[in-house]
Amino acid sequence: MTAAQGVLLRPITMGLLLQSLFLLLLVLLGSCLHPAAAFPKGCYPSEEEGLKTFRCSNAQLTEVPRDIPNDTNKLYLDFNQIPFLPRDAFRDLPLLLELDLSHNAIARIETGAFQGLAEHLHSLDLSSNRLVSVSKDAFSNLKAKVNLSNNPWLCDCRLQELIRAVELVAESSGGIVCDSSTQEEHVGKAFLQVIADTDLCNVYKRTTDIAMLVTMFGWFAMVISYLVYYVRQNQEDARRHLEYLKSLPSKQRRSEESSTISTVV
């Protein structure tokens, strides 16, 4: 290679080298920035007391966000507008220890919403939402301490079953108040105070039993009324037929009477 050729190739080589370095830099930047770009606006990861934390507090969320790092230990979704929790909402968070869903608009929790969290989750905050009635099955096998205070609860057998199925945060129990109730005198009272004096499930069972007895009695009365009507109607028809036979000539009357008697019998 001549000196002139070397001088011509040098700029080309430098250009290729610079291009390669630029592409490598773009790849590195992309790998660093991509996870952050996938997070919803207002959400960010951090580390608190050695635990991996993901905060989405007051981020104007209307659903449980996706792309939450699956090694998250503490998840804050408080002060948003999330209306309900669907099935498997947190299934990709096997290491989650604390879940804060307080101060949302949650009115419905589907069965299986907390599926996958039973083994590790030890704190679940659902306070200050719009929960009226929730099946105990939604918390099946959950070992976490649960905060259910400051919700517009309907105090009935369903809530009683739920309270007995979960472990409440001790200081939150007084905040579970009857916003409505199957019995008017319970409205405004703390639910634990209500069930200390009244077993709502037994009250419901007695009410159901009474309703069933009333329904059965009604059907029985209808059947008896129909049978009485049927017998009386047949008797009236037989009486009319006998009167008709009396008006017939004697031979024909005897034949018709025998036929009528056998029919009645």
Side-chain angles (χ1 to χ4, degrees):
M1 179 184 297
T2 64
Q5 289 176 328
V7 172
L8 290 174
L9 289 174
R10 190 176 301 164
I12 298 175
T13 304
M14 290 296 295
L16 292 173
L17 180 60
L18 289 173
Q19 185 179 7
S20 299
L21 290 173
F22 180 73
L23 291 173
L24 179 61
L25 181 61
L26 287 178
V27 172
L28 292 174
L29 286 173
S31 63
C32 293
L33 294 176
H34 181 265
F39 298 151
K41 183 180 179 180
C43 300
Y44 61 91
S46 64
E47 188 166 322
E48 299 177 6
E49 300 177 350
L51 296 175
K52 293 187 176 181
T53 303
F54 193 74
R55 286 191 174 273
C56 288
S57 302
N58 200 20
Q60 300 182 354
L61 299 176
T62 56
E63 63 180 2
V64 176
R66 301 176 182 178
D67 300 318
I68 300 173
N70 57 16
D71 59 350
T72 298
N73 303 129
K74 299 170 70 174
L75 177 59
Y76 292 89
L77 299 175
D78 51 321
F79 291 95
N80 285 290
Q81 293 93 43
I82 299 173
F84 80 103
L85 300 179
R87 182 179 177 86
D88 294 326
F90 308 98
R91 65 178 180 180
D92 296 324
L93 302 172
L95 303 180
L96 197 62
L97 302 175
E98 297 181 19
L99 176 57
D100 189 348
L101 290 159
S102 63
H103 297 90
N104 273 280
I106 300 171
R108 181 165 59 94
I109 301 176
E110 293 185 356
T111 300
F114 304 112
Q115 188 170 323
L117 302 181
E119 293 300 321
H120 298 95
L121 192 70
H122 64 71
S123 177
L124 172 60
D125 194 345
L126 286 163
S127 63
S128 300
N129 276 282
R130 298 178 185 174
L131 296 172
V132 175
S133 183
V134 180
S135 170
K136 65 178 181 178
D137 295 333
F139 298 85
S140 181
N141 300 319
L142 203 63
K143 300 174 183 177
K145 292 185 177 181
V146 184
N147 187 344
L148 297 172
S149 61
N150 299 319
N151 281 280
W153 289 110
L154 166 64
C155 290
D156 59 0
C157 179
R158 200 179 194 200
L159 180 57
Q160 179 173 311
E161 290 179 340
L162 170 61
I163 297 300
R164 290 178 176 175
V166 301
E167 182 180 357
L168 296 175
V169 175
E171 59 271 19
S172 72
S173 57
I176 303 175
V177 178
C178 300
D179 187 73
S180 58
S181 177
T182 52
Q183 299 185 42
E184 190 64 29
E185 64 270 20
H186 296 157
V187 175
K189 292 184 178 179
F191 185 68
L192 293 188
Q193 177 187 347
V194 170
I195 59 176
D197 302 327
T198 307
D199 188 335
L200 295 178
C201 291
N202 278 345
V203 170
Y204 174 77
K205 184 176 184 300
R206 286 199 299 272
T207 303
T208 304
D209 290 345
I210 292 172
M212 186 176 295
L213 286 173
V214 170
T215 302
M216 291 176 64
F217 178 79
W219 279 106
F220 183 73
M222 288 176 62
V223 171
I224 294 299
S225 299
Y226 176 78
L227 289 175
V228 170
Y229 169 80
Y230 180 79
V231 170
R232 287 181 177 178
Q233 187 67 31
N234 281 354
Q235 288 178 341
E236 183 67 18
D237 290 343
R239 184 184 65 79
R240 289 175 181 174
H241 193 62
L242 288 173
E243 288 178 354
Y244 166 74
L245 291 177
K246 290 178 181 179
S247 64
L248 297 175
S250 59
K251 288 184 179 180
Q252 184 178 358
R253 183 173 64 233
R254 281 195 299 271
S255 175
E256 291 283 352
E257 283 177 351
S258 299
S259 176
T260 301
I261 292 172
S262 63
T263 301
V264 172
V265 174

